[in-house]
Amino acid sequence: MVSSMKNQELQRSECVVMLSPDMVGPVAEEAFQTLRQQLLAKLPKDVDIEHIGATSIPGCLTKGDLDIVIRVQHAQFAEVDRNLARLFIRNVGSVRTDSFSSFKDDARHPR
C-alpha cells in the first residue's frame, strides 16, 4: 500500500526547471506586448492588461511562462469572459467565480 501511494505521488509530481532571467526576460516582454496589442483590439477600450508573475520582475528566476492579468469593470466581466473563452482554453484547475476566470494557452510559445 505504501509503495502504491508513493507511485501515485510521483505521478502527480511535476519537475519544474527554473530559467535564468537573462534567457527569458526580453522574450517574455516582447510576447506580452504582442499579446497585449492583440487583446486590446478585441476587448473593451478601458480594459487594463498587465504583465505579472516572475517574467515581469527583472532578475527573477522563472519557469518561463507568461502571466498576465486583465481587469475590467464588473459590468463588462461576462462579455470579456466569453471573448477570452473564444481565444483561450479555460484553466479548469483554477478557481472561477462571477468576477474571476483563468485561461491558458499551452500551444503558444514566444519563439
Side-chain angles (χ1 to χ4, degrees):
M1 182 72 154
V2 172
S3 89
S4 173
M5 288 174 53
K6 285 184 182 181
N7 286 338
Q8 288 175 352
E9 288 176 27
L10 287 174
Q11 289 173 354
R12 285 191 304 243
S13 69
E14 176 181 325
C15 179
V16 177
V17 175
M18 300 305 283
L19 303 172
S20 162
D22 297 335
M23 295 171 60
V24 179
V27 174
E29 184 58 27
E30 182 181 329
F32 167 69
Q33 292 301 334
T34 299
L35 182 58
R36 183 177 185 277
Q37 291 306 312
Q38 292 169 351
L39 290 170
L40 285 172
K42 297 179 182 191
L43 299 176
K45 299 299 179 211
D46 59 345
V47 67
D48 180 26
I49 303 173
E50 298 293 332
H51 183 186
I52 62 169
T55 57
S56 71
I57 303 169
C60 190
L61 289 176
T62 176
K63 295 181 295 185
D65 58 334
L66 180 64
D67 295 317
I68 66 171
V69 65
I70 301 172
R71 288 185 289 238
V72 299
Q73 297 295 319
H74 186 71
Q76 298 170 315
F77 180 81
E79 174 191 350
V80 171
D81 183 70
R82 282 190 301 274
N83 287 342
L84 292 172
R86 290 184 197 109
L87 300 170
F88 303 102
I89 299 166
R90 285 200 185 275
N91 184 354
V92 294
S94 179
V95 172
R96 183 170 177 216
T97 70
D98 66 346
S99 63
F100 178 84
S101 287
S102 180
F103 298 89
K104 64 180 185 171
D105 186 352
D106 293 337
R108 188 182 300 230
H109 299 285
R111 292 200 196 248

